[in-house]
Amino acid sequence: PSEDAVEQVHLGLGGPGEVVVTFLTKWRGVSSKVLFGKEGQNFSQEAVGEVSTYTTFICPDKGLMAPEMQTEPRPGQDLVNIVNTSLFLPNDSDSYVYLSEAADAWGHLSKGCVAYKNPLGYYQAPYIHTVVLKGLAPRTRYVYRPEASTRLFNFTMPPAKGASEQGRPLRIGVWSDIGITA
């Protein structure tokens, strides 16, 4: 089977009658369209969203690279490969760094980040697609699929504002990740 172009599909509540679908793609030019409809019906609706990406400095966290408490961090080979620019830059370059030992990598970080002049010191996020599905009915189950995906997803809309039903409490789980998009 071929790889699905769509990764990390997430839902968030929008305004009344809305849900926000967010998903990632590795490749530029992948559609931001989401097909959706009430469960049991074909995809009777579609919504087109926006796509964005970002670039940021690579700032490795010593705690993540050395999870043992109260120990000196040991750089992973990935950090060494980024910091040690002697393999591809000339000696007279402002970004030239030669590491005689892997442990020296931490000392060549600038305020915890790879030096900004190092061409390998940047992280390019995948393409982040954000699509708002509108006109959704309360307490209704929907099926949806990003157009570029082979997988189906579903959700049930919350009750209308102020509505309550005995034995059907509204429960919302909240989770957050402040890391970079991977």
Side-chain angles (χ1 to χ4, degrees):
S2 63
E3 181 180 0
D4 195 326
V6 173
E7 301 176 4
Q8 298 187 34
V9 179
H10 297 58
L11 279 182
L13 292 174
E18 295 180 349
V19 163
V20 180
V21 179
T22 304
F23 61 92
L24 305 181
T25 59
K26 293 179 187 175
W27 305 287
R28 183 179 182 173
V30 174
S31 171
S32 290
K33 185 185 291 184
V34 173
L35 310 171
F36 67 102
K38 292 179 180 177
E39 188 174 57
Q41 300 176 5
N42 290 333
F43 296 120
S44 57
Q45 297 174 275
E46 61 184 49
V48 178
E50 297 180 353
V51 63
S52 62
T53 188
Y54 64 89
T55 302
T56 188
F57 288 123
I58 295 175
C59 301
D61 181 302
K62 292 181 181 184
L64 291 176
M65 298 191 90
E68 301 86 20
M69 296 286 281
Q70 299 178 2
T71 61
E72 277 299 307
R74 294 182 306 273
Q77 192 58 46
D78 288 343
L79 179 61
V80 172
N81 292 343
I82 292 169
V83 173
N84 186 9
T85 60
S86 67
L87 300 175
F88 60 90
L89 289 177
N91 299 29
D92 60 350
S93 168
D94 287 343
S95 298
Y96 180 86
V97 173
Y98 171 75
L99 297 177
S100 58
E101 295 184 31
D104 294 341
W106 289 108
H108 287 279
L109 297 180
S110 174
K111 297 181 181 175
C113 297
V114 177
Y116 79 94
K117 289 184 179 181
N118 180 337
L120 298 180
Y122 296 91
Y123 167 77
Q124 177 64 50
Y127 294 92
I128 305 164
H129 301 258
T130 305
V131 184
V132 180
L133 309 185
K134 297 181 178 184
L136 306 175
R139 293 273 191 205
T140 303
R141 190 169 174 89
Y142 289 89
V143 178
Y144 71 101
R145 175 177 68 83
E147 183 179 51
S149 181
T150 57
R151 296 172 293 156
L152 296 177
F153 302 90
N154 62 68
F155 63 91
T156 301
M157 283 296 291
K161 181 179 177 181
S164 65
E165 295 179 41
Q166 190 69 3
R168 293 185 74 186
L170 175 62
R171 293 187 178 117
I172 297 177
V174 178
W175 179 83
S176 179
D177 177 3
I178 58 170
I180 58 175
T181 310

